[in-house]
PDB file of all heavy atoms in Angstrom:
ATOM      1  N   ARG A 525       7.627 -11.467-115.101  1.00 97.00           N
ATOM      2  CA  ARG A 525       8.426 -10.330-115.602  1.00 97.00           C
ATOM      3  C   ARG A 525       8.823 -10.544-117.065  1.00 97.00           C
ATOM      4  O   ARG A 525       8.870  -9.607-117.847  1.00 97.00           O
ATOM      5  CB  ARG A 525       9.680 -10.174-114.742  1.00 97.00           C
ATOM      6  CG  ARG A 525      10.499  -8.944-115.089  1.00 97.00           C
ATOM      7  CD  ARG A 525      11.579  -8.683-114.073  1.00 97.00           C
ATOM      8  NE  ARG A 525      11.063  -8.706-112.719  1.00 97.00           N
ATOM      9  CZ  ARG A 525      11.641  -9.356-111.700  1.00 97.00           C
ATOM     10  NH1 ARG A 525      12.734 -10.035-111.893  1.00 97.00           N
ATOM     11  NH2 ARG A 525      11.101  -9.336-110.509  1.00 97.00           N
ATOM     12  N   HIS A 526       9.098 -11.783-117.409  1.00 98.00           N
ATOM     13  CA  HIS A 526       9.577 -12.047-118.780  1.00 98.00           C
ATOM     14  C   HIS A 526       8.488 -12.672-119.660  1.00 98.00           C
ATOM     15  O   HIS A 526       8.787 -13.158-120.763  1.00 98.00           O
ATOM     16  CB  HIS A 526      10.803 -12.960-118.728  1.00 98.00           C
ATOM     17  CG  HIS A 526      11.959 -12.288-118.040  1.00 98.00           C
ATOM     18  ND1 HIS A 526      12.607 -11.201-118.563  1.00 98.00           N
ATOM     19  CD2 HIS A 526      12.539 -12.524-116.833  1.00 98.00           C
ATOM     20  CE1 HIS A 526      13.559 -10.800-117.734  1.00 98.00           C
ATOM     21  NE2 HIS A 526      13.524 -11.597-116.656  1.00 98.00           N
ATOM     22  N   GLY A 527       7.252 -12.658-119.196  1.00 97.00           N
ATOM     23  CA  GLY A 527       6.133 -13.173-119.996  1.00 97.00           C
ATOM     24  C   GLY A 527       6.239 -14.662-120.250  1.00 97.00           C
ATOM     25  O   GLY A 527       5.858 -15.150-121.322  1.00 97.00           O
ATOM     26  N   LEU A 528       6.759 -15.384-119.279  1.00 98.00           N
ATOM     27  CA  LEU A 528       6.915 -16.840-119.436  1.00 98.00           C
ATOM     28  C   LEU A 528       5.820 -17.544-118.626  1.00 98.00           C
ATOM     29  O   LEU A 528       5.415 -17.054-117.564  1.00 98.00           O
ATOM     30  CB  LEU A 528       8.305 -17.285-118.941  1.00 98.00           C
ATOM     31  CG  LEU A 528       9.489 -16.586-119.626  1.00 98.00           C
ATOM     32  CD1 LEU A 528      10.798 -16.916-118.935  1.00 98.00           C
ATOM     33  CD2 LEU A 528       9.554 -16.994-121.101  1.00 98.00           C
ATOM     34  N   PRO A 529       5.354 -18.672-119.114  1.00 97.00           N
ATOM     35  CA  PRO A 529       4.257 -19.337-118.407  1.00 97.00           C
ATOM     36  C   PRO A 529       4.733 -20.031-117.128  1.00 97.00           C
ATOM     37  O   PRO A 529       5.919 -20.296-116.951  1.00 97.00           O
ATOM     38  CB  PRO A 529       3.784 -20.379-119.421  1.00 97.00           C
ATOM     39  CG  PRO A 529       4.970 -20.652-120.254  1.00 97.00           C
ATOM     40  CD  PRO A 529       5.769 -19.396-120.331  1.00 97.00           C
ATOM     41  N   GLU A 530       3.799 -20.317-116.294  1.00 94.00           N
ATOM     42  CA  GLU A 530       4.075 -21.066-115.064  1.00 94.00           C
ATOM     43  C   GLU A 530       4.688 -22.414-115.456  1.00 94.00           C
ATOM     44  O   GLU A 530       4.295 -22.993-116.473  1.00 94.00           O
ATOM     45  CB  GLU A 530       2.737 -21.304-114.355  1.00 94.00           C
ATOM     46  CG  GLU A 530       2.872 -21.487-112.866  1.00 94.00           C
ATOM     47  CD  GLU A 530       1.497 -21.735-112.261  1.00 94.00           C
ATOM     48  OE1 GLU A 530       0.574 -20.940-112.539  1.00 94.00           O
ATOM     49  OE2 GLU A 530       1.379 -22.735-111.559  1.00 94.00           O
ATOM     50  N   GLY A 531       5.618 -22.910-114.721  1.00 94.00           N
ATOM     51  CA  GLY A 531       6.222 -24.206-115.019  1.00 94.00           C
ATOM     52  C   GLY A 531       7.308 -24.140-116.092  1.00 94.00           C
ATOM     53  O   GLY A 531       7.970 -25.142-116.369  1.00 94.00           O
ATOM     54  N   HIS A 532       7.512 -22.968-116.688  1.00 98.00           N
ATOM     55  CA  HIS A 532       8.575 -22.807-117.685  1.00 98.00           C
ATOM     56  C   HIS A 532       9.928 -22.936-116.975  1.00 98.00           C
ATOM     57  O   HIS A 532      10.143 -22.320-115.920  1.00 98.00           O
ATOM     58  CB  HIS A 532       8.430 -21.427-118.327  1.00 98.00           C
ATOM     59  CG  HIS A 532       9.287 -21.225-119.537  1.00 98.00           C
ATOM     60  ND1 HIS A 532       8.903 -21.640-120.798  1.00 98.00           N
ATOM     61  CD2 HIS A 532      10.503 -20.660-119.689  1.00 98.00           C
ATOM     62  CE1 HIS A 532       9.854 -21.323-121.673  1.00 98.00           C
ATOM     63  NE2 HIS A 532      10.840 -20.721-121.008  1.00 98.00           N
ATOM     64  N   ALA A 533      10.851 -23.743-117.541  1.00 98.00           N
ATOM     65  CA  ALA A 533      12.158 -23.913-116.891  1.00 98.00           C
ATOM     66  C   ALA A 533      13.035 -22.691-117.181  1.00 98.00           C
ATOM     67  O   ALA A 533      13.056 -22.180-118.300  1.00 98.00           O
ATOM     68  CB  ALA A 533      12.819 -25.179-117.393  1.00 98.00           C
ATOM     69  N   ILE A 534      13.720 -22.253-116.111  1.00 98.00           N
ATOM     70  CA  ILE A 534      14.572 -21.050-116.277  1.00 98.00           C
ATOM     71  C   ILE A 534      15.984 -21.358-115.789  1.00 98.00           C
ATOM     72  O   ILE A 534      16.187 -21.919-114.713  1.00 98.00           O
ATOM     73  CB  ILE A 534      13.975 -19.867-115.478  1.00 98.00           C
ATOM     74  CG1 ILE A 534      12.755 -19.330-116.234  1.00 98.00           C
ATOM     75  CG2 ILE A 534      14.998 -18.757-115.276  1.00 98.00           C
ATOM     76  CD1 ILE A 534      12.172 -18.068-115.658  1.00 98.00           C
ATOM     77  N   GLY A 535      16.928 -20.966-116.657  1.00 98.00           N
ATOM     78  CA  GLY A 535      18.332 -21.020-116.244  1.00 98.00           C
ATOM     79  C   GLY A 535      18.782 -19.579-116.026  1.00 98.00           C
ATOM     80  O   GLY A 535      18.286 -18.652-116.652  1.00 98.00           O
ATOM     81  N   ILE A 536      19.745 -19.403-115.094  1.00 98.00           N
ATOM     82  CA  ILE A 536      20.164 -18.025-114.790  1.00 98.00           C
ATOM     83  C   ILE A 536      21.690 -17.920-114.843  1.00 98.00           C
ATOM     84  O   ILE A 536      22.407 -18.828-114.428  1.00 98.00           O
ATOM     85  CB  ILE A 536      19.615 -17.589-113.402  1.00 98.00           C
ATOM     86  CG1 ILE A 536      20.089 -16.192-113.002  1.00 98.00           C
ATOM     87  CG2 ILE A 536      20.032 -18.534-112.305  1.00 98.00           C
ATOM     88  CD1 ILE A 536      19.251 -15.121-113.559  1.00 98.00           C
TER      89      ILE A 536
END
Side-chain angles (χ1 to χ4, degrees):
R525 186 170 310 133
H526 295 293
L528 303 171
E530 206 181 309
H532 191 84
I534 285 187
I536 177 85

